[in-house]
Amino acid sequence: MEIIPLSEQEVQQFRADTKGTAQRIHFNNAGASLPPDVVVETMINYLNEEAIYGGYETEFKYKDQLDNTYSLIAQLINADKDEIALVENASTAWILAFHGVGLQQGDEVLTCEMEYVTNLIGLLNAKKTLGIEIKVIPNDEKGNFSLEALEAAISPKTKLIAVTQIPSTAGGMIPVVEIGKIACKHGVLYLVDACQSVGQIPVDVKKIGCDMLAVTGRKYLRAPRGTGFLFVRKAVQDKLKLLFMDGFTAPTVTEDDFKVRNDARRFELYEKNRALTLGLGKAVEYALHIGVDRIWQRIQYLGTLLRNQLQNIDGITVHDIGDQKCGIVTFSVNAIESATIKNLLAEKQINVSVGKAISTLLYMNKNHLSSIVRASVHYYNTEQEIDILCDELKTIVK
């Protein structure tokens, strides 16, 4: 099916819907995107009602809209509503899933060199405390994940494949659909960190074949900070241990026993910020209205445009590798620290971020990188903004 590109008129409307675009050029969408005004207004209005009518009373009034957030997320990733749990961020989601697997001494976990720091810490902690084994599947010389090496590494001890689809400090991508086919073939549980993916590219959990998916709201979904969700496939929910429980987790309780919920909300606790829940739902609704396939097409165009311009500036090295690249563009400037570049650009109201080695340690160490400048584009960015960024960088280099 042909994807209709976003028109200039639509892009200008998205910018009009986002007051932050009038103040500065925002190329830190992989950190936290600028939210649409309607997301901010939704949360403010809810908080105002809480202050007037009471927290529980306002929650009851908005119960259908709050519940609809689960339905919207399910639509976004092609899941069922009862496979979604709301959490604070992707790290919380990943921790709930990973530690729920119940790994034991001698079990093997296969991962990738692009794994995020939170996940790496979780793996190393399980190695120290439980005695698990970690196998890292390296990228090949072109920067592509090796599916052949993955399949060769699977053994009877392999209990989990855990990968990050889009890394924090690189512009490449992991072939999660192909990995899912291998995991399914061998009957191995499959956990995907989609922290940078959802909202940027179309994510379909049925096509990926993952058992668990960890997502944050603040990045490409343009949702508030402090939001995220965990997808757990229905058939896997009873297999995962719960790390904590309350009366929401287990609504049926006697003096001698309790029974947990029969959906993914068993991984939640009752008390959470309802204004953020509505904000997340509104952000997902906004993305769905545009169409994630159209968003992805625009991001690929802008990412390629930025990379090409940077590669033509003497003194700048673009570090993105792999056949498929995303909206995260990483580079360094000869003899100038990444933090200095970030600060100089900030003086010109241009937001970028610094990717430190710790964020994607295996990849950064392998490529002898201590830090990089990360410029991450979104669909509301423009060609003119890319030109301004590159002109400023030319001035800095000189």
Side-chain angles (χ1 to χ4, degrees):
M1 186 174 66
E2 183 181 0
I3 299 170
I4 301 173
L6 294 178
S7 67
E8 180 63 27
Q9 183 179 7
E10 285 178 297
V11 172
Q12 291 306 316
Q13 183 59 56
F14 302 143
R15 293 175 65 80
D17 290 346
T18 310
K19 65 179 65 176
T21 60
Q23 306 297 322
R24 58 187 55 243
I25 297 173
H26 190 71
F27 288 129
N28 190 16
N29 297 289
S33 289
L34 299 177
D37 296 345
V38 67
V39 171
V40 180
E41 292 161 2
T42 295
M43 295 187 293
I44 291 173
N45 292 339
Y46 185 87
L47 289 172
N48 282 332
E49 289 202 42
E50 270 195 339
I52 295 170
Y53 302 110
Y56 289 95
E57 291 75 12
T58 304
E59 177 187 5
F60 179 77
K61 175 183 175 182
Y62 283 89
K63 66 181 188 303
D64 291 340
Q65 292 96 314
L66 290 163
D67 186 65
N68 191 47
T69 297
Y70 295 88
S71 300
L72 290 166
I73 292 170
Q75 181 183 345
L76 180 71
I77 64 170
N78 192 23
D80 296 326
K81 178 181 174 182
D82 61 0
E83 296 176 317
I84 306 299
L86 298 184
V87 293
E88 295 85 354
N89 48 58
S91 290
T92 300
W94 191 93
I95 289 166
L96 288 169
F98 176 74
H99 290 286
V101 171
L103 296 168
Q104 299 177 356
Q105 184 172 1
D107 288 345
E108 293 177 350
V109 177
L110 308 187
T111 189
C112 61
E113 68 178 48
M114 316 304 272
E115 205 65 353
Y116 184 58
V117 57
T118 297
N119 311 350
L120 181 59
I121 291 170
L123 290 164
L124 293 172
N125 184 54
K127 182 178 180 179
K128 288 171 63 175
T129 59
L130 302 175
I132 72 162
E133 295 297 323
I134 305 168
K135 289 184 179 179
V136 179
I137 309 303
N139 290 346
D140 62 23
E141 64 279 359
K142 294 182 180 179
N144 296 314
F145 181 86
S146 175
L147 295 168
E148 295 78 10
L150 172 68
E151 186 135 32
I154 294 176
S155 77
K157 294 182 179 180
T158 305
K159 294 296 185 288
L160 178 69
I161 297 172
V163 298
T164 295
Q165 184 175 15
I166 295 178
S168 176
T169 56
M173 298 172 61
I174 295 292
V176 291
V177 173
E178 290 75 12
I179 293 172
K181 292 175 182 176
I182 294 172
C184 180
K185 174 183 173 182
H186 293 274
V188 177
L189 284 175
Y190 181 29
L191 167 60
V192 175
D193 182 334
C195 184
Q196 299 286 6
S197 313
V198 174
Q200 176 175 187
I201 69 177
V203 172
D204 184 327
V205 293
K206 291 183 172 61
K207 287 183 179 178
I208 294 172
C210 58
D211 298 293
M212 300 155 285
L213 187 89
V215 181
T216 197
R218 73 181 187 276
K219 298 180 184 287
Y220 279 91
L221 269 178
R222 306 183 66 195
R225 296 190 71 176
T227 62
F229 63 87
L230 170 66
F231 158 81
V232 182
R233 192 163 59 86
K234 186 69 173 177
V236 173
Q237 290 175 12
D238 287 337
K239 298 178 181 179
L240 299 187
K241 295 191 304 181
L242 297 178
L243 303 190
F244 45 70
M245 289 180 279
D246 68 359
F248 181 78
T249 313
T252 303
V253 185
T254 68
E255 293 187 11
D256 302 312
D257 202 2
F258 61 89
K259 184 178 180 181
V260 300
R261 300 173 60 101
N262 63 354
D263 59 15
R265 298 191 207 187
R266 66 177 69 186
F267 301 101
E268 300 181 19
L269 294 177
Y270 172 70
E271 188 53 42
K272 61 176 65 69
N273 189 317
R274 269 62 182 179
L276 290 182
T277 298
L278 284 184
L280 172 61
K282 188 59 69 173
V284 172
E285 186 177 57
Y286 195 91
L288 287 170
H289 180 72
I290 298 169
V292 181
D293 52 350
R294 302 179 75 212
I295 290 171
W296 175 224
Q297 183 185 65
R298 169 84 178 170
I299 288 174
Q300 286 179 293
Y301 162 69
L302 292 174
T304 300
L305 182 65
L306 177 54
R307 282 191 194 91
N308 290 343
Q309 290 201 28
L310 290 174
Q311 286 167 343
N312 289 324
I313 301 175
D314 290 337
I316 287 184
T317 302
V318 176
H319 296 289
D320 300 331
I321 54 177
D323 292 339
Q324 188 172 25
K325 299 180 180 68
C326 63
I328 297 175
V329 180
T330 64
F331 62 94
S332 58
V333 180
N334 291 354
I336 305 179
E337 292 288 336
S338 298
T340 302
I341 299 297
K342 174 182 179 294
N343 293 336
L344 289 171
L345 291 172
E347 292 174 3
K348 303 295 183 179
Q349 284 72 54
I350 301 173
N351 293 348
V352 297
S353 64
V354 175
K356 298 179 180 179
I358 190 175
S359 296
T360 317
L361 191 64
L362 301 174
Y363 160 80
M364 294 287 275
N365 284 352
K366 178 180 177 179
N367 292 281
H368 311 291
L369 297 170
S370 59
S371 69
I372 48 88
V373 182
R374 184 180 72 179
S376 41
V377 300
H378 214 328
Y379 62 84
Y380 58 74
N381 289 125
T382 65
E383 295 90 336
Q384 182 185 19
E385 289 181 323
I386 289 174
D387 291 341
I388 293 170
L389 168 63
C390 292
D391 287 343
E392 290 296 338
L393 288 169
K394 289 176 186 175
T395 301
I396 292 170
V397 170
K398 290 178 181 178

